[in-house]
Amino acid sequence: MRVTIADVARAAGVSKTTVSRVINTKGEVDASTAARVRDVIASLGYVPSSGAVGLARGNSRTVGMLVPSLTWAWMGEVLQGVVDTVEAAGYGLLLFTFNRGADSVERFTTQVSARAFDGLLVVEPENTLDKIIALSHKGLPVVLIDDRGSHPDDFPSVVTTNHEGGASAARHLLADGRSRPLVITGPERFGCVRDRLGGFREVLPTDLVAVGDFTELSGRLAVEQLLAAGTPFDSVFAHNDISAAGALRALRAAGRSVPDDIAVVGFDDIPMARHTEPPLTTVRQPTRRMGETAARMLLGHLGGTTAPDEPVVLPTELVVRQSAPLAAVNAGPAVPADSVSASRT
């Protein structure tokens, strides 16, 4: 049977309030009484509830993290960056996903009401920004990761150079002599999608734009439809590596050589990008650093440091592999095979 604070109080001959004061080092307790309580705690093997200790001290030593889904290809790296940082600081992590609609919202709201965490890291699930802003207005420290271009003023955020990332992909294709690219985007409502497309078009204008949804199927269908229509194109820039893999699959099925006939560039540099056929040239997002940076910002805020008013912007980087290497005649000086720096603002 679990030992309770009441058991400790009874054995020590004191009130539960006195035991709580000894545990949480709050309030004045006679030194001999405190020593007696600690002896009883040790002899009974009483383990205080971390939540109760946290609430008594005014904090839980726990950070909440809200994400749309753990199935997103780059979410694991972001999460690892967060975990490494908060655990090193002696905090725990409470993770919430919005996979179950209203049930997820209710569970999250219950935990907020119970003060189960001190601050919140957010990869914004759709249609939740108003709720998050309301929590911030009530005093909950919040840091947004990948703000989708919305840049809300209510809390700080960590973003990457999506515009420059798109531009770096275009410069690379242009240097390789490609002039007729197909761009496969994500959903147009996302700011990162608009930024990637805008940066690409500033360098390499194109009217071949297929609106996708970041899935392998959308990348495959975009290429299949263009091939079926007989529309000429010499390259593909997909807004994530998953849809780029779909494009590669469609090109291979149609007997088109990559990169000889058509070059392909993705975005994110998830682990899969190294293992496609051929390995994928892509724009790398520093996803683990995004998690680390956001966690450090939140912990700093909890410690009294003022959070930055403007988004913290981390650079992307073009990684060149076999799906879109520079042609020998255009390559110029040799560069490291797997890290062509491209995108700093």
Side-chain angles (χ1 to χ4, degrees), residues 63-130:
V63 168
M65 185 171 181
L66 176 63
V67 303
S69 172
L70 294 178
T71 61
W72 285 17
W74 50 265
M75 190 62 71
E77 284 294 298
V78 172
L79 183 58
Q80 191 62 58
V82 169
V83 169
D84 290 345
T85 304
V86 301
E87 288 188 349
Y91 275 71
L93 181 68
L94 193 57
L95 184 64
F96 303 93
T97 63
F98 264 47
N99 288 327
R100 300 178 61 192
D103 288 344
S104 297
V105 173
E106 183 177 353
R107 174 174 172 267
F108 175 66
T109 303
T110 299
Q111 294 298 316
V112 172
S113 300
R115 296 170 59 198
F117 49 86
D118 303 326
L120 183 64
L121 298 166
V122 180
V123 180
E124 181 201 340
E126 285 196 77
N127 303 316
T128 61
L129 187 58
D130 289 346

Side-chain angles (χ1 to χ4, degrees), residues 38-53:
R38 284 193 288 269
D39 287 344
V40 171
I41 288 173
S43 64
L44 294 181
Y46 172 64
V47 179
S49 162
S50 59
V53 172

Side-chain angles (χ1 to χ4, degrees), residues 30-344:
D30 176 79
S32 62
T33 300
R36 185 168 75 254
V37 169
R38 284 193 288 269
D39 287 344
V40 171
I41 288 173
S43 64
L44 294 181
Y46 172 64
V47 179
S49 162
S50 59
V53 172
L55 287 174
R57 292 178 177 171
N59 62 74
S60 66
R61 300 291 295 181
T62 300
V63 168
M65 185 171 181
L66 176 63
V67 303
S69 172
L70 294 178
T71 61
W72 285 17
W74 50 265
M75 190 62 71
E77 284 294 298
V78 172
L79 183 58
Q80 191 62 58
V82 169
V83 169
D84 290 345
T85 304
V86 301
E87 288 188 349
Y91 275 71
L93 181 68
L94 193 57
L95 184 64
F96 303 93
T97 63
F98 264 47
N99 288 327
R100 300 178 61 192
D103 288 344
S104 297
V105 173
E106 183 177 353
R107 174 174 172 267
F108 175 66
T109 303
T110 299
Q111 294 298 316
V112 172
S113 300
R115 296 170 59 198
F117 49 86
D118 303 326
L120 183 64
L121 298 166
V122 180
V123 180
E124 181 201 340
E126 285 196 77
N127 303 316
T128 61
L129 187 58
D130 289 346
K131 294 183 179 65
I132 297 164
I133 290 175
L135 291 174
S136 177
H137 286 171
K138 292 178 180 178
L140 180 69
V142 176
V143 175
L144 200 62
I145 303 173
D146 183 25
D147 64 12
R148 298 184 177 177
S150 57
H151 304 311
D153 296 329
D154 299 80
F155 32 78
S157 61
V158 177
V159 300
T160 58
T161 52
N162 285 295
H163 184 278
E164 176 57 28
S168 70
R171 284 194 295 269
H172 181 72
L173 291 174
L174 194 60
D176 194 35
R178 312 287 175 164
S179 60
R180 186 67 171 151
L182 162 66
V183 179
I184 306 171
T185 75
E188 293 175 305
R189 63 185 179 277
F190 292 167
C192 63
V193 168
R194 298 190 295 271
D195 288 345
R196 292 171 194 178
L197 180 59
F200 187 92
R201 277 177 155 170
E202 282 184 9
V203 176
L204 187 52
T206 182
D207 58 351
L208 295 179
V209 177
V211 178
D213 58 5
F214 291 139
T215 63
E216 190 272 349
L217 178 62
S218 70
R220 179 159 46 89
L221 289 178
V223 168
E224 288 175 349
Q225 289 167 3
L226 227 59
L227 292 174
T231 304
F233 62 105
D234 59 14
S235 52
V236 175
F237 171 47
H239 278 194
N240 75 336
D241 294 338
I242 299 294
S243 53
L248 286 172
R249 180 179 175 185
L251 290 167
R252 184 166 59 249
R256 301 297 182 94
S257 174
V258 177
D260 295 338
D261 298 332
I262 298 172
V264 178
V265 177
F267 207 105
D268 287 337
D269 195 29
I270 61 175
M272 181 201 72
R274 299 168 179 80
H275 306 293
T276 56
E277 183 55 45
L280 186 63
T281 293
T282 186
V283 179
R284 176 182 292 159
Q285 289 205 91
T287 46
R288 185 171 296 208
R289 278 186 60 203
M290 290 168 70
E292 293 169 348
T293 302
R296 283 198 300 269
M297 288 169 62
L298 182 59
L299 293 173
H301 185 39
L302 294 176
T305 302
T306 301
D309 294 330
E310 296 296 321
V312 173
V313 183
L314 302 179
T316 51
E317 179 184 31
L318 183 69
V319 178
V320 179
R321 299 191 181 97
Q322 284 80 3
S323 72
L326 285 176
V329 294
N330 295 321
V335 294
D338 205 41
S339 61
V340 180
S341 180
S343 52
R344 294 183 183 270

